[in-house]
Amino acid sequence: AYALLNPFWGWMADKVSSKLVIMIGSFLLGLGYLLVGPVPGLGIKSSYSLCIVSVVLVGLGVGAQLVAAFSEAQTSAVASGFPDSITTYALVSSIWTSAFALGAFVGPTAAGTLYDVVGFEWSTMFTVGWNVAVFIAALNGLLAVGFIKFNSNARRQGMYSTLDGDSWNKEVDKLTGKAVYSYQSV
């Protein structure tokens, strides 16, 4: 499941939004970990078929997150002033691979400790919580990008005024028929 949709996730990250793909991946990953235990309190009994569905969801979510986050890292590096060249791509790829390898070591170690302390069902909640945090961060990034694009488009289209204080007061006077005074004009 991990590799199945990776070309699609890459296309979607490039053509639509890598942040949106990260959000989808976080949702799928969180849902998969909610069900794999399953987390106590959901009222769902563990079964072989539920485990299969959960692992498929986790694989799809991991694929979406990794492909989109790598794409976002490359785009961000170039946007931050690194040259749009093979050396930048090699640098991002090297850092990415190193971080992935570190995570492959730290993740199972932390998971084993969590399993010993709270058990399997509750230890999956750590991953669910982490993916909720990633989802919220990606949503904030998506909203910020949308807000910035909206404001820049609005300014280009003249939706916002660039009036100074006195000009603003005169415009308000025209619209309301009343004199507007500020502490500066008194």
Side-chain angles (χ1 to χ4, degrees):
Y2 165 75
L4 188 63
L5 290 181
N6 279 357
F8 171 74
W9 295 132
W11 174 84
M12 195 167 161
D14 289 341
K15 300 295 182 194
V16 180
S17 168
S18 56
K19 289 175 180 62
L20 180 63
V21 176
I22 291 169
M23 285 175 52
I24 292 169
S26 296
F27 176 78
L28 291 171
L29 199 56
L31 181 62
Y33 273 105
L34 267 177
L35 299 175
V36 77
V39 171
L42 291 180
I44 301 172
K45 291 192 178 222
S46 184
S47 69
Y48 182 72
S49 58
L50 182 62
C51 260
I52 297 295
V53 169
S54 299
V55 170
V56 168
L57 287 172
V58 167
L60 293 173
V62 167
Q65 279 189 336
L66 291 179
V67 168
F70 184 75
S71 172
E72 183 72 19
Q74 285 184 329
T75 304
S76 295
V78 172
S80 296
F82 284 88
D84 190 5
S85 67
I86 192 71
T87 55
T88 300
Y89 297 144
L91 176 68
V92 170
S93 182
S94 301
I95 293 170
W96 187 259
T97 304
S98 298
F100 190 80
L102 178 65
F105 168 72
V106 172
T109 305
T113 303
L114 277 171
Y115 175 79
D116 289 342
V117 174
V118 296
F120 180 73
E121 292 85 2
W122 284 109
S123 65
T124 59
M125 278 303 291
F126 175 79
T127 306
V128 172
W130 184 251
N131 279 285
V132 167
V134 170
F135 183 90
I136 291 169
L139 179 62
N140 285 335
L142 201 58
L143 291 174
V145 167
F147 183 73
I148 290 167
K149 283 183 180 179
F150 172 77
N151 280 341
S152 64
N153 287 339
R155 282 193 182 93
R156 272 194 298 257
Q157 295 171 1
M159 291 174 69
Y160 289 116
S161 176
T162 56
L163 298 174
D164 61 3
D166 289 334
S167 299
W168 174 256
N169 289 341
K170 289 177 187 174
E171 289 296 318
V172 172
D173 288 349
K174 285 183 202 174
L175 293 172
T176 63
K178 298 178 184 177
V180 175
Y181 300 101
S182 69
Y183 68 91
Q184 296 170 342
S185 62
V186 173

